[in-house]
Amino acid sequence: MADERIGLIGLAVMGQSLSLNLADHGYEVVIFNRTAETTRSFIDGNPEQSRLIGTAEIERFVGELDRPRRIVLMVKAGEAVEAVLAHLVPRLDAGDVIVDGGNSFWADSERRSEQLATLGIRFLGTGISGGEQGARFGPSIMPGGNGWEEMREPLTAIAAKVDGEACCDWIGPGGSGHYVKMIHNGIEYADMQVIAEAYHLLRASGRSAAETAAVFRRFGEGSLSSYLMDITAQILEVADDDGEPLVEKILDAAAQKGTGRWTVEDALSRGQPTTVIAEAVLARSLSALKDERVHAASRLRGPSAPLVVEEREIEQALLASKIVCYAQGFMLIRACSGDLSWALQPARIAPLWRGGCIIRARMLNDITSAYRNDPELSNLLLDPHFADVIDNAQAAWRNVIAAAAKAGIPVPAYSAALSFYDGFRTARLPANLIQAQRDFFGAHTYERVDRDRGEHFHTQWAPGAATTPSS
Ligand code: NBP
């Protein structure tokens, strides 16, 4: 492995960190950046690292690599990837491997993988999670597409390790690596929202930021242990210059870069009810309406009842909602895998998120066990362990949502998660009425519970109702 060469293009924070990580693991890293000055200052800033080979021209970059060349792109998703490929691909040969390690949209990776395959170039669309620190010391890596056989060793070497297993494994064909990274980010949105709702409830029930931090630390000692819980406690303990908690001075308008929205758009296109992830994305949108909310706060009335809820109940609501987040993420993976015949295996995906990435959490050990015990598990909620955990949590979970509603405190993710749970476990929903309404005004037809599925019926419900069944 030592002295093998890997090329890396794109030397912003992620590219620099990955280069150093690869170099630490014995690889010589040939680096290139559009702005050559960045390459120079990166090399100058790391004089102890002799395995970095800077190049200022793309021809020299390509020429420094052994064949088959292995090239990692760490540039901005979208146009930057297209621009780099346009310069790079004409200089490559059949058999070379391009790894796109950025946050590319999975359908772009699917397309690039197919197009480059016609030239014999292997394209590995690779989700990488963990931010700067992860990239530097061990990220979670989700490669999909072609070229895994060439990249298995270096990617596995630099990935996070949990219980001796690398958080890196081939996901599946085409754009599946970036698809799974997108789902990771959707779950991340939901996980952050369920934690934010606990924070809201804990603060609204009179706890200081420091007391709230202590509660999160306690929660984080058990099944809720996670990176996001840990950083939440740390954030709540940071004081501004005047000694006040810094978090309370931050404008309550959450930004988003788009991977959560991509997840929800994908869920809608597949008819998958990933309601908690959707609420998490939309809660950020609602938060961003800051001026309108401030105006509405002075005009619209709510209840004046105090919030009556126990700390233990909030913990259970957080736990149950978080399980539903994961269940919905894996539902979407299952649906897309079926649609595109990717044959994705949750039992190989869940363990990749146990280390290195933003959603790393103790719960992922149990999720991994659930899918390893039953690789065909259709929904995480049906795993016996998680069914029991939710059953034990549900009384508290319902109390929290009821108490929040009575006190006028929004808990959109907890409510969406509970409604999903109740909807999923309800054998007969009121959709029969919706079908009747659709048939009444649009002659859209309906199926009957006392006939075979696939047989469609239309009724002339009333004079003036629709008469002609639509196809
Ligand atoms: P950025 O996403 O900010 O991208 C900056 C890099 O893209 C620079 O090297 C820049 O070159 C290059 N670039 C651009 Br912009 N346009 C280009 C073009 N037309 N041709 C060639 N190069 C171009 O960097 P990052 O934050 O390090 O992220 C890299 C990738 O990793 C992104 O896809 C990001 O979404 C993903 N990611 C980031 C994080 C994180 O925590 N930051 C975490 C996980 C994944 P220049 O120096 O010449 O401008």
Side-chain angles (χ1 to χ4, degrees):
M1 171 261 283
D3 298 336
E4 283 186 24
R5 287 192 169 183
I6 304 267
L8 191 142
I9 297 179
L11 290 173
V13 58
M14 291 294 282
Q16 292 196 8
S17 301
L18 266 195
S19 301
L20 294 172
N21 192 348
L22 281 163
D24 282 351
H25 284 87
Y27 292 91
E28 288 189 327
V29 191
V30 182
I31 51 178
F32 175 84
N33 192 64
R34 177 182 61 174
T35 309
E37 175 51 31
T38 308
T39 312
R40 270 191 297 278
S41 59
F42 176 49
I43 291 201
D44 291 348
N46 291 279
E48 74 292 348
Q49 188 44 267
S50 59
R51 294 198 185 92
L52 299 176
I53 302 165
T55 58
E57 300 87 29
I58 195 81
E59 290 79 8
R60 167 134 187 260
F61 170 81
V62 170
E64 289 286 351
L65 294 166
D66 312 315
R67 287 161 70 174
R69 300 178 186 90
R70 294 177 290 181
I71 298 169
V72 179
L73 311 187
M74 286 308 296
V75 299
K76 215 179 192 59
E79 284 174 18
V81 175
E82 290 299 334
V84 171
L85 290 177
H87 278 93
L88 185 62
V89 169
R91 295 173 168 85
L92 299 186
D93 296 293
D96 290 348
V97 179
I98 299 174
V99 178
D100 177 8
N103 263 342
S104 290
F105 184 51
W106 69 272
D108 287 341
S109 296
E110 183 89 351
R111 171 178 53 78
R112 289 169 186 146
S113 182
E114 280 171 21
Q115 285 173 350
L116 290 170
T118 64
L119 304 173
I121 293 172
R122 294 173 280 177
F123 183 83
L124 198 64
T126 301
I128 298 183
S129 175
E132 180 181 356
Q133 288 301 305
R136 178 67 187 87
F137 299 110
S140 167
I141 306 182
M142 296 151 256
N146 305 319
W148 172 235
E149 52 286 6
E150 300 293 345
M151 290 306 299
R152 177 201 295 265
E153 219 173 89
L155 292 181
T156 303
I158 63 170
K161 310 286 182 307
V162 174
D163 298 337
E165 287 180 44
C167 296
C168 173
D169 196 1
W170 187 70
I171 298 288
S176 62
H178 276 131
Y179 187 85
V180 166
K181 171 63 174 22
M182 177 185 78
I183 302 297
H184 164 285
N185 284 27
I187 294 171
E188 177 185 311
Y189 271 64
D191 201 356
M192 291 167 76
Q193 178 64 26
V194 295
I195 292 173
E197 289 177 18
Y199 157 74
H200 196 170
L201 293 169
L202 290 163
R203 294 287 278 126
S205 55
R207 289 172 181 79
S208 67
E211 287 165 341
T212 304
V215 173
F216 277 117
R217 287 215 183 281
R218 275 197 294 284
F219 287 179
E221 285 165 6
S223 319
L224 282 168
S225 168
S226 74
Y227 168 74
L228 283 170
M229 289 292 279
D230 182 41
I231 66 165
T232 301
Q234 291 184 48
I235 287 166
L236 287 162
E237 285 163 350
V238 172
D240 200 6
D241 296 341
D242 58 3
E244 295 298 313
L246 177 57
V247 70
E248 301 302 338
K249 304 229 177 129
I250 295 178
L251 184 76
D252 52 323
Q256 40 187 323
K257 278 191 174 171
T259 46
R261 178 171 53 78
W262 288 352
T263 310
V264 178
E265 286 172 350
D266 189 77
L268 290 173
S269 74
R270 296 183 199 288
Q272 290 297 310
T274 55
T275 52
V276 191
I277 299 172
E279 274 299 352
V281 173
L282 294 172
R284 289 199 194 187
S285 303
L286 178 58
S287 81
L289 303 179
K290 175 69 177 175
D291 293 343
E292 287 175 64
R293 290 191 290 111
V294 169
H295 177 65
S298 66
R299 300 287 298 272
L300 303 180
R301 285 182 295 277
S304 51
L307 178 69
V308 183
V309 65
E310 291 175 21
E311 185 180 305
R312 185 196 61 81
E313 292 179 314
I314 297 174
E315 182 180 15
Q316 295 301 305
L318 181 47
L319 180 61
S321 302
K322 186 172 161 119
I323 294 169
V324 178
C325 297
Y326 279 104
Q328 294 188 347
F330 279 102
M331 279 169 62
L332 202 42
I333 287 174
R334 187 168 187 264
C336 183
S337 176
D339 289 348
L340 299 182
S341 303
W342 277 345
L344 302 187
Q345 298 174 45
R348 289 177 64 174
I349 294 169
L352 307 187
W353 294 340
R354 291 183 303 168
C357 64
I358 305 300
I359 63 170
R360 61 186 184 262
R362 186 173 298 173
M363 186 183 288
L364 278 154
N365 290 327
D366 292 329
I367 296 175
T368 300
S369 300
Y371 284 116
R372 283 182 177 164
N373 292 340
D374 181 3
E376 302 306 317
L377 185 66
S378 64
N379 192 296
L380 190 62
L381 297 178
L382 298 175
D383 170 70
H385 166 73
F386 285 114
D388 281 349
V389 173
I390 291 206
D391 190 21
N392 291 332
Q394 66 172 305
W397 189 16
R398 293 177 194 282
N399 276 348
V400 167
I401 292 166
K406 283 182 186 161
I409 296 171
V411 282
Y414 294 177
S415 309
L418 180 59
S419 288
F420 176 84
Y421 176 72
D422 283 336
F424 189 62
R425 62 174 195 84
T426 298
R428 184 164 170 82
L429 288 168
N432 51 325
L433 178 62
I434 291 170
Q435 285 298 81
Q437 291 165 334
R438 293 178 70 244
D439 191 52
F440 188 113
F441 63 70
H444 293 300
T445 75
Y446 54 87
E447 294 171 282
R448 296 178 58 105
V449 294
D450 52 359
R451 301 290 176 86
D452 289 341
R453 292 294 304 264
E455 255 190 277
H456 291 266
F457 299 87
H458 167 64
T459 296
Q460 183 66 37
W461 294 91
T467 53
T468 313
S470 59
S471 57

